[in-house]
Amino acid sequence: MELPLVVGVDGSHHSLQAVDWAVDEAARYGVPLRLVHASLWERYEGIAPAGGPERPWEQARAEEIVASAAERAHRHRPDVKISAEVLPEDPAAALLRAGLDASGLV
């Protein structure tokens, strides 16, 4: 199993530049790209009721951030396998933990 190149995304211009660079690097080395957005939104807004139609605003925003970054990476390099996830954790801690099972961390 190939270890992915992990890149943290927060929706900013700089993080999207990191996605562009990282997807090129993933293609160069033939590894998958894993996009990670970490946020402690659950701590502040609570978990949405199971089966309820409403999602907390921050959860919807976090999901949009990773989905948009994944779409951007896929448009740029459709040959790279891309995964994206939202982690309800402190961003620095989440990225450091994600980097333990990665070929690199951006």
Side-chain angles (χ1 to χ4, degrees):
M1 180 172 132
E2 295 175 307
L3 294 176
L5 178 59
V6 174
V7 59
V9 295
D10 64 7
S12 69
H13 174 71
H14 294 296
S15 78
L16 295 177
Q17 287 180 321
V19 168
D20 294 344
W21 180 86
V23 75
D24 284 337
E25 290 299 298
R28 176 178 294 141
Y29 291 102
V31 298
L33 182 67
R34 179 180 172 205
L35 304 171
V36 174
H37 175 80
S39 172
L40 293 173
W41 62 266
E42 285 183 340
R43 175 179 292 175
Y44 303 110
E45 296 198 23
I47 299 173
E54 295 184 29
R55 293 179 301 164
W57 175 83
E58 282 291 327
Q59 179 184 7
R61 180 175 175 265
E63 291 169 357
E64 174 59 29
I65 287 170
V66 294
S68 177
E71 182 181 322
R72 179 185 179 111
H74 180 71
R75 278 194 321 263
H76 188 68
R77 297 301 295 239
D79 55 320
V80 173
K81 181 180 175 186
I82 299 165
S83 64
E85 66 184 304
V86 175
L87 302 174
E89 301 177 42
D90 171 73
L95 288 175
L96 289 173
R97 192 172 48 75
L100 295 174
D101 294 317
S103 61
L105 179 62
V106 180

